[in-house]
Every structure is written in C-alpha cells, then in structure tokens.
Amino acid sequence: MAEPPPGPGPTLAEMPLLVNGTRVDLARPTGDMIRAHPHLEEKAKLLRSQPAQIVEPKGLLYVQQREFAVTTPKDGSVSILGSDDATTCHIVVLRHTGSGATCLTHCDGSDTEAEVSLIMSSVKSFSNSTGCGRLEVHLVGGFNDDRQLSQKLTNQLLRAFDLQPEDVHLVTFCVTELNDREEQDIHFPIIYGIAVNVKTAEIFPATFPEKGPDEDLRSAHVLTGAPPWLPLQPPCVVTADQHLRRKDRTTPDWALFLGAFPTCGFLVGTR
C-alpha cells in the first residue's frame, strides 16, 4: 500500500506566543490570561512598585515614538536602551537570551504587525551565530483609558507576536489594567517609561532628562502625521559596523538610519 502523502509543513500557528511554555489563548480576554498565569500579575506589581530611576545620557540610547533600537552586550558605547512619555502607547523589549541581542521599541498602534516583524528580524540578525537561547518579550505601558486605545494596542501586540515564525516567550506583562491607577474617577498610567540594561537584561521604570541625539529631527515625522513604519528594504537596513566602514572612525558605535522615507527612521547598535 502506498504511503500517505506527507502532511503540511509547520505553520505560523505552530510557533506561538507562550507563557511558561503554554500557548496564549488569544480568543479569550487578557484578564483570563492574567488569572491563568498569576506570576504575570506578581511581576507587574513588582515592576510598578519600583521608583523611576533617572537615566543620564552617558551610555544611553533614547528611543522615541515609532522608533526602535537594537544592540548587544558587546556594544562599547551603549549599555542602556530606554523610552518614556508613554500613555496609551506601549514600550516593548524583545531579547534573545543566547546572544543578548536586545531591542526596545515605542509602539503607538500605527502598524503593529509590521513593527513587530521588523524588531523580530532585527534581533534575529544579531543572533544568527548563536545556537542556543530563546526570544523573550516584555510589554509595559497603557492604562484603562476611556477610548480603550491601550487595550486595543495590547491585543494587537499579542496577536502580532503570536503570528511570528518563531516561539516568543511573554515574560513581562505590565500593560493596560496592570499599569492603571485611579484618582478621583480619572485613570492614569503608573509607569510612563522604562529602560533596559543591555548587559544585565534588567528592566526598570525610568525617566530621561535628555532625549537626544537630534530629538527635534527624529520626532518630526510623528509631528507631521506622516504614515509610520514604512517597510525598510536593503540597503536601508544596515548595522552600525557597516556604517562605520563607510565613514570615518569618529562615528559613534550606534547610529540613526533613515530609510527611503523620512518616516522609517530607526536606531541600531553594534554587533
């Protein structure tokens, strides 16, 4: 008897978003996920209880809305990635535990699926030579706003990571209802900004006295209302070491790159 034809290959659904090795059921409300995994709420509570640290410019790469930054522990110039001023926005940290490649992005819901694909590709490009480790994601930001923009963005991010062709492990979930406080019937976020230490993987609430370099130039595409997160095609996506080989050696180890459009600026660090 002839053997049956081979079954279909792996699908996107077979590479899910996981919590403690269990796939997140996106058909259910996020409150059900929190109740099913109480350690997420405990970790969010611990993060909320920490006072915001003031991060000075030395060793910092600040990420603005609709930007993302990625680097590794080998970077000699950047040790901290950070962002703040997030209300309904979410700040996402994606890290590969093997290579230590770390990405931080400030999401506003403009094109979440495309943004997640970009940061996934960036972290993987810094981890190609690493044979072990896993991808871990940390989500922070939002609150119980009247228009439910935060909840919409939370759902978008969970769905986008669940569609990726690699397993992604949800480690920190301090968003929307888990980042909400109420005063006189008015809701506010608890954490507005975070930073990640690229060398130790520590994530902590943070504020930033300086938000450079070139803060005004980098925020111009948001202020003009231009469409964000346009696809980047080579040679727009280059690493800082490639950039250094084309320019003089006085260039810092990180650099701001603008693609074919002024709205697709992002930050990268050295390998």
Side-chain angles (χ1 to χ4, degrees):
M1 180 181 296
E3 294 184 0
T11 64
L12 291 178
E14 294 175 296
M15 296 294 186
L17 179 67
L18 304 169
V19 178
N20 275 359
T22 303
R23 184 172 189 179
V24 175
D25 185 358
L26 298 181
R28 302 181 66 85
T30 54
D32 288 356
M33 179 183 72
I34 296 167
R35 285 186 288 273
H37 303 283
H39 73 279
L40 289 177
E41 185 169 8
E42 289 301 314
K43 188 163 186 177
K45 182 178 179 181
L46 180 63
L47 187 64
R48 296 194 309 263
S49 69
Q50 299 177 33
Q53 299 183 34
I54 299 174
V55 180
E56 299 297 338
K58 183 176 176 59
L60 166 69
L61 185 52
Y62 184 83
V63 178
Q64 296 192 13
Q65 185 175 337
R66 300 182 188 176
E67 289 180 343
F68 69 90
V70 58
T71 191
T72 75
K74 296 179 181 179
D75 193 322
S77 297
V78 174
S79 57
I80 301 287
L81 303 176
S83 188
D84 63 357
D85 294 334
T87 51
T88 58
C89 292
H90 290 16
I91 302 171
V92 179
V93 175
L94 180 68
R95 182 176 182 272
H96 190 278
T97 60
S99 67
T102 303
C103 179
L104 184 145
T105 183
H106 187 133
C107 303
D108 62 5
S110 300
D111 193 345
T112 305
E113 192 170 324
E115 183 175 359
V116 167
S117 294
L118 280 171
I119 66 174
M120 286 283 293
S121 298
S122 298
V123 170
K124 287 189 294 181
S125 73
F126 280 66
S127 308
N128 286 336
S129 61
T130 305
C132 60
R134 68 181 194 174
L135 290 165
E136 296 184 344
V137 66
H138 308 260
L139 307 180
V140 181
F143 68 109
N144 285 333
D145 60 286
D146 291 339
R147 294 187 293 169
Q148 296 188 323
L149 297 176
S150 299
Q151 186 62 61
K152 180 181 178 181
L153 180 53
T154 296
N155 294 340
Q156 288 176 351
L157 284 165
L158 293 175
R159 188 178 306 111
F161 278 108
D162 194 58
L163 289 173
Q164 298 308 306
E166 292 83 17
D167 288 347
V168 181
H169 298 262
L170 179 61
V171 176
T172 303
F173 191 69
C174 186
V175 293
T176 310
E177 67 265 37
L178 293 181
N179 191 46
D180 183 80
R181 64 184 176 90
E182 186 177 352
E183 295 181 9
Q184 298 180 349
D185 297 326
I186 300 175
H187 291 265
F188 302 90
I190 298 172
I191 298 175
Y192 287 87
I194 62 168
V196 56
N197 186 313
V198 177
K199 304 189 186 301
T200 67
E202 179 191 7
I203 295 173
F204 52 91
T207 61
F208 309 90
E210 295 187 26
K211 302 178 181 181
D214 300 320
E215 178 181 1
D216 293 339
L217 174 64
R218 289 162 54 193
S219 62
H221 69 276
V222 177
L223 297 176
T224 57
W229 297 114
L230 294 176
L232 293 171
Q233 300 294 334
C236 298
V237 180
V238 292
T239 60
D241 54 346
Q242 293 169 329
H243 177 73
L244 289 171
R245 285 197 292 268
R246 293 199 305 267
K247 302 188 73 171
D248 64 86
R249 297 299 298 180
T250 61
T251 308
D253 289 341
W254 51 263
L256 173 66
F257 294 98
L258 296 179
F261 304 89
T263 60
C264 55
F266 69 104
L267 295 159
V268 296
T270 55
R271 292 182 189 271

